[in-house]
Structures are given as C-alpha cells and as structure tokens.
Amino acid sequence: MRLWHRFLVRTAEIIQNLYGLQISAATILRMINEAQERLLPTVERIGQAICAAPVAHADETGRRVAGKLHWMHTLATPIMTWLGVHANRGHEAIEAFALIPAMLGTLIHDGLVAYRQYTCLHGLCNAHHLRELTFIVEQSQQDWAQRMIDLLCRANDETMAAQGQALPKRRIKAIRSAYLALLTNGEALNPPVQRSGRRGRTKQSFATNLLGRLRLYADDVLRFTVDPHVPFTNNLAEQAIRMCKVKQKVSGCFRTFPGAQAFCIVRSYVATLKKQSINPYHALVSTFQGNVPQPRFA
C-alpha cells in the first residue's frame, strides 16, 4: 500500500517538474479511474478483435492484489494488446473473460493445460522447448536433445527465409520425420518408470516428461512449419505481460482489485497505440477531452 501511494506521489512530482502543475496523488487516482471508464469500450473491442485474428498469443503471470495472489492475463497480436486480471489462472479466468472460447484461429501459448479445452488450433512456444532441451544437454549430455535443438532452429531459419511463404510439403514431411525419429532415440534413453502400485501418477524424470509432451503435442510444436503466419515463439505475449512485472518492481502490489483492473485497461490501450505508432500522450489528452482515438482493429 505504501509503495502504491509512493508511486502516485512520484507521478505528481514528475508532472510538477515537467509542467509546473501542482497536482495531488488523489487527483491522479481520479484521473486513472476516469481513463478506465472512458477507455473500457475500446479495450473490449481490442479483446474481441484479437480473438478474431488468424493468430493470437496468450500468457499469464502472478501478481499480488489486495494481499492475495491474482493472475494477469494477456492476449496479443503484432498490432494489439489486451490485459485482464483474475483471481484464477486457468479455466475460470478464461471463461470469465469470454475471449479465447470464441477464437477460431490459432492460439500460441506456453502449454497451460486450461487452453486445451478450446477447439481453436494451438501452437507452442519453442523458446521454452529450447531452454528445456538445453538443460538436458547440460545435465546429461544426451545427443538427441542437442540434435533436436539443431533441428528446430534449422526449421525456424527455413521458415524465416521463406518470408511468409509456406515451406514445401516435402520439406515439412522431412522435418516431422526427423523430429519423430529423435523422440524415439530420446525415449530409448529415458524409458518411463513403471507404476509402483501406489495411488497417483508415478514420478518421471524431467527428460521423460519433456519427451512425452513433445510427442503428444507434435502438431503444435511444429505448427510454425505448416502455417507461415505462426511464429516460432510466444515472445509477443511475453513482451506484453512484461510491463506487469515492471509495474510490480516500481509500485509493489495493487491495493485493490479495481485498481488492478484500471491498470489493465489503460495499459491495454497504451500498448496497442504504441504498436500502431500512435502517440499515447496525445491520445490520452484527447480521451480526457471526451474523444477517444480509436486504434486499428484489424
């Protein structure tokens, strides 16, 4: 709470130093609330437009709100960003936002199980896979893992060189064949532990679990080779959610849930404008004057 008040006071000091205007922390808080009300309809349209896009990115990160753990959720495309806050990380939050359930395109994410309930196509972040494979290489020097890294990176280079064009079907088939062969090699070195007879799931090694996911979701791992519009990573969503972490370092937790909602709404609008090279300052001035500049929604 003290950090949040300090943030408002520092903002008031910056305004006074830059513009010579004396303004209280309470006034800044009222301005934030007013901006939230004026921008909400536009931000709702941003969320709907993202879900209508052919490819969208999703991510989530934990934040303290009113002393309890909450989750900041994001959806993003190259020209739009949407943020929301909820006490839940998974299915309950996704249903409450009512955006992803309406998606018809491809959703890129880091593998959160809750996303799997929805019938849209899925693409997995291969930056995460590369980090996990690198860990296996460093810890156990298993050759299949290094060769999988090389295969995925080489396939990504090929898709980038294609400049938005689909790879030849023969090449897609060859990549998938090599991918499955490497999984077979890895599984021979990391056989699953047989059930012990105890209740619950039998604990497996890190490599065995990774191999299982890479095989089960092979289509999603390799989606970037099939669809030229699907990127290799989920970096777009991770960049969108990063400001929430910066906010946490500056002002600590959110004192109230409405305050967290206000942050998400204003940040969604400003981040979308920046992606579209629209000056956020001029747009916010116009917003307080009663005319909310609209970004592109497609």
Side-chain angles (χ1 to χ4, degrees), residues 145 196 208 284:
S196 61
T208 299
L284 290 174

Side-chain angles (χ1 to χ4, degrees), residues 49-70:
I50 290 175
C51 288
V55 178
H57 297 248
D59 200 6
E60 64 289 327
T61 187
R63 283 298 311 270
R64 304 293 294 183
V65 178
K68 297 181 179 180
L69 178 63
H70 284 63

